[in-house]
Amino acid sequence: MLIILFLKGYFDMIMLERKLKILPTDVLLVAFSAVFFIGLLTFAAPCGAKADGTYMSCHYLGVSVAAVAATATFISVVHLVFADNGVKIGLSIADFALCVLACLLAFALMDSCGMSNMRCNAVTKPFVLVMSVVTAISSAVDFCYRLFVGGGNKK
């Protein structure tokens, strides 16, 4: 309990020193990344286990893309918390790179089921494509705004 109170006081002190510059793109990055991650675990999950309890290759595709989406969600939350423009620019670049990695995993680097009507090809891969592109566009817009309009490292 004492540690929690100390951390809360430390966080309050940091927030008094600097004002958070939260833009709509910050909130959109968190929202898109969270939908990406939660969707891969729920409604856009790949094929389940076979009757004998083993998994097809698309299961591992889903796990790896979900790990990338979880990392993107974490980076988006950190992006929301930091006030420095330079840090936010770097985190936007990292988020963009993770979206590209998610697309590469789904479409080039890992195998999925052979039949086009399987869940992984009909639901998961299109979902990964759409959410990766939407999140990457949001990251790129945030990057461009902060770099060109926001004034770089000016506070």
Side-chain angles (χ1 to χ4, degrees), residues 28-44 69 73 127 130-131 134-135:
L28 287 176
L29 276 174
V30 173
F32 292 148
S33 298
V35 168
F36 191 13
F37 176 59
I38 293 168
L40 283 170
L41 297 180
T42 56
F43 61 88
T73 303
F127 178 76
V130 168
M131 290 309 298
V134 167
T135 307

Side-chain angles (χ1 to χ4, degrees), residues 40-114:
L40 283 170
L41 297 180
T42 56
F43 61 88
C47 306
K50 294 192 287 188
D52 63 355
T54 60
Y55 290 100
M56 294 180 277
S57 61
C58 61
H59 168 76
Y60 302 107
L61 166 73
V63 169
S64 59
V65 173
V68 170
T71 307
T73 303
F74 175 75
I75 286 176
S76 299
V77 170
V78 171
H79 184 277
L80 184 69
V81 172
F82 273 94
D84 184 43
N85 252 356
V87 172
K88 287 190 177 216
I89 287 171
L91 291 172
S92 291
I93 293 170
D95 216 5
F96 184 86
L98 284 171
C99 292
V100 171
L101 177 63
C103 276
L104 285 174
L105 282 172
F107 292 98
L109 298 176
M110 296 188 79
D111 292 330
S112 61
C113 297

